[in-house]
């Protein structure tokens, strides 16, 4: 059934075929067995870290840290897959599987376009050398993975980037490592506040321009044209997501290589770039149905022009911050605020502020929650492995 959008286009509910599959997957509950496997995995990694620390098996713990980091990269992919494609799927510009495949490919390409954000991440803390430093890094990544899975389960588009940074900082504080607070404030905290505001305002202005330019055009023709345009804007956003998010995992692996004297930290090895790009891409193709539903339907009713405006402006913010600011901003924060900005051009009440409030709450809790989990994991590993 079709429902009115903003008077110019129609936003219709998914059909019984492909769209119903999206809805079913978005609301499917995670089984108790899956949660037991998650807890068992965290416990296994924690135990392995403790055993490695006690037995002085530096090479084994380094491999463990790299593997855990790539697992985080994978969870980042399926957690944030919705960022690039939720609006394109919601407006039927792309089918879910085609959109996911496109996002996976563009994520892979984006991850190969730069390393400056990775260098910023690797400078957030200065952990101890050797095994102790590896323990700190592993604990930080585990904290981020845990928070990613919690917010994914509840369908909240929180930031994987801030979960990772929060986890690393939490483990750093717990281990009495040196935290580079100036970098955290300048490259994380300030962009965390500025990027959603810029995304909201820029999307609002772009949408106003679109409404004015096409004010005399036929609504149906405009909708069809913007569905085509959304294919390009969604691809651009996916490229920006790969550029930003894969580099964050690269930075963590480089940090692990630095503390074990396998790197000087001035460059990112090719194998790290390729493996992080691949893990993010695979995770993206695995999907993020729950969060896709939140971004595509629960924040505003998205039509093709609004979807294009949100994706195009979010892409611009991602590219500018990556290349000029070298800041690891949140793709999630940026696209969500851009969707709200585009929707607010209809009327402020068009934005479902209750859902928006839940999303903002998840944003606020992300860094301290991931930090707390990371500190707990570090404490356990250090206690049994010291």
């Amino acid at each position: 059934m079709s429902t009115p959008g903003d008077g110019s286009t129609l936003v219709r509910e998914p059909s019984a075929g492909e769209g119903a599959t999206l809805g079913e997957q978005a609301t499917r509950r995670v089984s108790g067995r899956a949660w037991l496997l998650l807890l068992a995995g965290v416990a296994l990694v924690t135990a392995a870290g403790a055993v490695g620390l006690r037995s002085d098996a530096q090479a084994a713990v380094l491999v463990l840290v790299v593997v855990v980091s790539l697992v985080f990269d994978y969870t980042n992919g399926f957690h944030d897959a919705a960022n690039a494609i939720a609006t394109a799927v919601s407006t039927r510009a792309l089918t879910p599987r085609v959109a996911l495949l496109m996002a996976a490919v563009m994520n892979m390409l984006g991850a190969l376009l730069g390393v400056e954000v990775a260098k910023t991440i690797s400078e957030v803390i200065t952990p101890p050398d050797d095994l102790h430093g590896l323990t700190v890094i592993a604990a930080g990544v585990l904290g981020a993975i845990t928070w990613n899975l919690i917010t994914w389960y509840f369908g909240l588009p929180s930031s994987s980037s801030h979960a990772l940074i929060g986890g690393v900082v939490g483990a750093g504080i717990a281990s009495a490592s040196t935290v580079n607070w100036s970098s955290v404030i300048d490259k994380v905290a300030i962009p965390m506040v500025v990027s959603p505001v810029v995304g909201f305002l820029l999307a609002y202005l772009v949408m106003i321009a679109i409404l004015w330019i096409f004010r005399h055009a036929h609504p149906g023709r405009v909708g069809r044209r913007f569905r085509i345009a959304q294919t390009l804007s969604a691809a651009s956003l996916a490229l920006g997501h790969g550029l930003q998010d894969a580099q964050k995992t690269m930075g963590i692996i480089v940090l692990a290589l630095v503390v074990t004297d396998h790197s000087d930290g001035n460059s990112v090895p090719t194998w790290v770039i390729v493996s992080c790009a691949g893990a993010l891409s695979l995770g993206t193709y695995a999907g993020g149905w729950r969060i896709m539903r939140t971004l595509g339907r629960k924040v505003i009713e998205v039509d093709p022009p609004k979807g294009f405006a949100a994706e195009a402006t979010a892409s611009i913010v991602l590219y500018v911050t990556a290349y000029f600011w070298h800041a690891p901003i949140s793709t999630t924060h940026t696209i969500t605020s851009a969707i709200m900005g585009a929707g607010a051009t209809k009327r402020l009440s068009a934005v479902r502020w209750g859902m928006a409030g839940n999303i903002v709450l998840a944003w606020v809790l992300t860094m301290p929650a991931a930090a707390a989990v990371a500190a707990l994991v570090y404490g356990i590993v250090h206690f049994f492995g010291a």
Side-chain angles (χ1 to χ4, degrees):
M1 178 181 295
S2 297
T3 56
D6 61 358
S8 61
T9 58
L10 292 180
V11 180
R12 71 186 188 86
E13 291 299 317
S15 62
E18 136 205 347
T21 301
L22 173 61
E24 289 166 6
Q25 295 198 48
T27 56
R28 185 177 299 160
R29 297 192 64 80
V30 178
S31 66
R33 181 178 298 177
W35 284 109
L36 289 176
L37 288 174
L38 169 62
L39 292 175
V42 173
L44 179 62
V45 173
T46 303
V51 171
L53 189 62
R54 181 175 289 276
S55 60
D56 199 30
Q58 177 175 289
V61 177
L62 176 59
V63 171
L64 179 66
V65 170
V66 171
V67 170
V68 171
S69 298
L70 293 177
V71 169
F72 167 79
D73 206 21
Y74 181 86
T75 66
N76 187 349
F78 79 71
H79 186 277
D80 288 0
N83 292 338
I85 61 175
T87 54
V89 171
S90 179
T91 61
R92 298 175 60 81
L94 296 169
T95 62
R97 283 300 170 192
V98 169
L100 283 171
L101 179 60
M102 178 273 294
V105 172
M106 299 308 289
N107 273 188
M108 171 72 80
L109 295 175
L112 305 176
L113 296 181
V115 295
E116 293 303 323
V117 174
K119 293 179 181 178
T120 297
I121 291 290
S122 67
E123 296 169 357
V124 168
I125 67 169
T126 304
D129 292 332
D130 303 324
L131 276 169
H132 193 187
L134 291 176
T135 305
V136 174
I137 297 167
V141 178
L142 281 175
I145 291 173
T146 303
W147 184 249
N148 263 0
L149 292 173
I150 290 172
T151 52
W152 167 81
Y153 176 74
F154 289 105
L156 294 175
S158 68
S159 169
S160 297
S161 309
H162 296 151
L164 181 62
I165 295 168
V168 171
V169 170
I173 293 173
S175 63
S177 300
T178 301
V179 178
N180 187 354
W181 290 110
S182 63
S183 180
V184 171
I185 293 172
D186 294 341
K187 296 296 181 68
V188 179
I190 293 177
M192 181 173 69
V193 175
V194 172
S195 59
V197 174
V198 172
F200 183 96
L201 294 176
L202 194 57
Y204 181 88
L205 294 174
V206 169
M207 192 61 208
I208 289 292
I210 289 172
L211 291 173
W212 187 83
I213 293 169
F214 294 97
R215 65 191 184 281
H216 299 308
H218 186 275
R221 191 176 297 112
V222 170
R224 287 191 296 272
R225 289 176 178 174
F226 272 100
R227 281 193 178 93
I228 297 173
Q230 262 200 284
T231 303
L232 299 177
S233 61
S236 175
L237 184 60
L239 188 73
H241 177 246
L243 174 66
Q244 276 278 347
D245 284 46
Q247 288 193 57
K248 294 154 190 172
T249 306
M250 295 178 202
I252 293 299
I253 295 178
V254 167
L255 186 59
L257 296 175
V258 169
V259 300
T260 54
D261 294 325
H262 288 88
S263 172
D264 58 8
N266 293 322
S267 61
V268 180
T270 302
W271 69 267
V272 174
I273 296 173
V274 173
S275 58
C276 289
L280 183 70
S281 184
L282 289 174
T284 296
Y285 190 69
W289 302 101
R290 290 170 176 267
I291 297 170
M292 189 186 302
R293 189 184 188 208
T294 298
L295 286 178
R297 299 177 193 169
K298 292 186 177 179
V299 177
I300 62 167
E301 293 292 345
V302 182
D303 58 23
K306 292 187 181 72
F308 172 81
E311 291 162 351
T313 54
S315 300
I316 292 172
V317 175
L318 291 176
Y319 296 142
V320 169
T321 52
Y323 284 119
F324 297 101
W325 204 347
H326 304 159
I329 70 163
S330 168
T331 311
T332 306
H333 289 198
T334 307
I335 184 58
T336 305
S337 60
I339 290 173
M340 293 179 187
T345 56
K346 178 181 178 181
R347 60 181 184 277
L348 289 178
S349 60
V351 179
R352 291 170 183 145
W353 295 107
M355 175 56 63
N358 291 338
I359 293 171
V360 171
L361 179 61
W363 291 354
V364 172
L365 291 177
T366 291
M367 290 188 70
V373 174
L376 177 62
V377 171
Y378 169 79
I380 294 172
V381 172
H382 194 263
F383 177 79
F384 287 103

